[in-house]
Amino acid sequence: MRSLLFVPGDSEKKLEKGLASGADVLLIDLEDSVSAERKPAARQIAADFLKSNRDKSSPRLFVRINDLASGLADADLGAVMPSLPHGILLPKSNSGKDVTRLSAKLNVHEAHADAAEGSTRILAIITETALGTLSAASYPDASARLIGLTWGAEDLSAVIGARAVRDDNGRYTDVFRLARALTILGASAADVAAIDTVYINYKDDAGLALECTEAERDGFTAKLAIHPAQVPVINAVFTPSAEAVAQAQKIIRAFAEDPAAGVIGIDGLMFDRPHLRRAERLMGRVAAT
Ligand code: COA
Ligand code: MG
């Protein structure tokens, strides 16, 4: 999972385009990109689209429902769960408890649909409320369904009353840098993927590429997209390079040949157990794509 493309759930045209975008995951949106009047239509369009396309090998199809406090989440789940999406993206999560609550709801829907319990995965956006951001450490053991955490700056800026999320140089300001860092730490603590947020300037490929490179450097393994043109840029950066794969294999091999070693030297560089863990994580990502 490298690229996750948002598609407004009420747009049949964009949903079709999303299929051919090369994204690893489509995030069929029933939340912010769909107006209140269009939500019933979007639920129906999303359900039909899932039914027709869920058996394709790629992309994986997730639905972003409305948040648990919106009063809309149950109608969203009721509409799409019979079509068995591969997963649900939960926005405005306030803590791991919200993921546990969602998981309990999914148990019921899966039973109705005769699907295996736990087969629907969960991704959560954890920094859209102040409480959620401060609860980044609460996701371990929230649910075995949870496979990734991501973050958002726009909703958080609205709730805290910030006028902008970036400074004059284009860098996120402190609160948003903190939210970004807490997402990396929270995901690592929960042993799930850390997914970087959207880059809204969808015509600026160079800016996107730079943001992807920094995200990959810092521990994110995937990024959200809002436009098909962003997908190839994201996939390129988050696909481990042949060089990185060869190096990881070398480290894994060296430790396998000397299982008692805590530290080894390869080509004049020192490698210890954290390097082995990093190499294994990278190979895990290769296996998953
Ligand atoms: N998924 C699939 N297809 C998309 C798409 C998306 N997210 N965004 C654009 N497209 C399609 C357009 O429909 C258009 O198709 P066409 O050539 O057949 O007309 C093509 O890609 C080029 O789009 P473009 O004209 O550059 O952009 P636009 O003005 O149509 O749309 C946005 C711009 C921002 C409205 C659109 O990209 C979008 O809806 N993004 C997702 C928004 C969203 O889900 N936000 C919630 C999460 S933050
Ligand atoms: Mg939002």
Side-chain angles (χ1 to χ4, degrees), residues 1 4-7 24-30 46-47 49-51 53-56 59-66 73 76-91 99 102-103 105-107 109-110 115-116 118-125 143-148 195:
M1 182 170 61
L4 303 88
L5 173 63
F6 272 113
V7 187
D24 296 323
V25 174
L26 290 191
L27 301 170
I28 303 166
D29 191 22
L30 300 178
F49 180 79
L50 284 165
K51 225 172 274 159
N53 297 291
R54 72 170 310 284
D55 292 332
K56 296 198 165 83
R60 309 269 294 160
L61 303 178
F62 279 55
V63 176
R64 177 164 75 169
I65 58 170
N66 290 277
D76 293 341
L77 291 172
V80 298
M81 281 306 292
S83 303
L84 293 176
H86 298 119
I88 299 294
L89 172 61
L90 178 67
V99 168
L102 172 60
S103 182
K105 290 175 188 288
L106 295 181
N107 286 345
H109 287 286
E110 285 169 345
S119 51
T120 315
R121 305 309 213 163
I122 297 176
L123 296 168
I125 315 180
S143 167
R145 300 173 183 276
L146 186 68
I147 59 165
I195 302 163

Side-chain angles (χ1 to χ4, degrees), residues 5-8 13-14 17-18 29 33 64 202 226-228:
L5 173 63
F6 272 113
V7 187
K13 185 179 113 173
K14 286 180 187 169
K17 272 213 126 80
D29 191 22
S33 72
R64 177 164 75 169
Y202 60 88
I226 51 162
H227 191 285

Side-chain angles (χ1 to χ4, degrees), residues 14-226:
K14 286 180 187 169
L15 285 166
E16 282 304 321
K17 272 213 126 80
L19 282 179
S21 66
D24 296 323
V25 174
L26 290 191
L27 301 170
I28 303 166
D29 191 22
L30 300 178
E31 199 214 13
D32 288 346
S33 72
V34 178
S35 66
E37 311 84 83
R38 293 281 295 162
K39 296 224 191 251
R43 289 183 186 121
Q44 186 61 51
I45 291 168
D48 293 344
F49 180 79
L50 284 165
K51 225 172 274 159
S52 311
N53 297 291
R54 72 170 310 284
D55 292 332
K56 296 198 165 83
S57 62
S58 166
R60 309 269 294 160
L61 303 178
F62 279 55
V63 176
R64 177 164 75 169
I65 58 170
N66 290 277
D67 70 84
L68 294 181
S70 65
L72 302 170
D74 285 321
D76 293 341
L77 291 172
V80 298
M81 281 306 292
S83 303
L84 293 176
H86 298 119
I88 299 294
L89 172 61
L90 178 67
K92 300 182 178 70
S93 179
N94 282 312
S95 79
K97 277 192 199 148
D98 279 356
V99 168
T100 307
R101 269 178 70 201
L102 172 60
S103 182
K105 290 175 188 288
L106 295 181
N107 286 345
V108 177
H109 287 286
E110 285 169 345
H112 279 301
D114 237 345
E117 186 171 298
S119 51
T120 315
R121 305 309 213 163
I122 297 176
L123 296 168
I125 315 180
I126 66 165
T127 71
E128 293 186 308
T129 68
L131 188 61
T133 308
L134 294 168
S135 305
S138 65
Y139 290 88
D141 303 322
S143 167
R145 300 173 183 276
L146 186 68
I147 59 165
L149 299 180
T150 186
W151 69 289
E154 302 302 330
D155 284 275
L156 184 60
S157 75
V159 297
I160 67 174
R163 274 185 289 103
V165 302
R166 295 181 189 261
D167 65 16
D168 293 343
N169 300 318
R171 274 177 65 81
Y172 280 115
T173 58
D174 285 350
V175 170
F176 305 100
R177 293 201 73 74
L178 176 66
R180 176 182 183 276
L182 284 171
T183 303
I184 297 170
L185 293 169
S188 174
D191 200 18
V192 299
I195 302 163
D196 196 21
T197 193
V198 295
Y199 186 71
I200 61 173
N201 190 349
Y202 60 88
K203 300 216 160 145
D204 175 15
D205 279 357
L208 172 65
L210 179 64
E211 197 164 281
C212 288
T213 304
E214 292 180 352
E216 199 271 344
R217 175 197 66 196
D218 293 348
F220 288 105
T221 56
K223 189 168 174 69
L224 302 177
I226 51 162

Side-chain angles (χ1 to χ4, degrees), residues 223-243:
K223 189 168 174 69
L224 302 177
I226 51 162
H227 191 285
Q230 296 185 319
V231 170
V233 179
I234 294 172
N235 284 350
V237 175
F238 287 98
T239 305
S241 68
E243 221 172 33

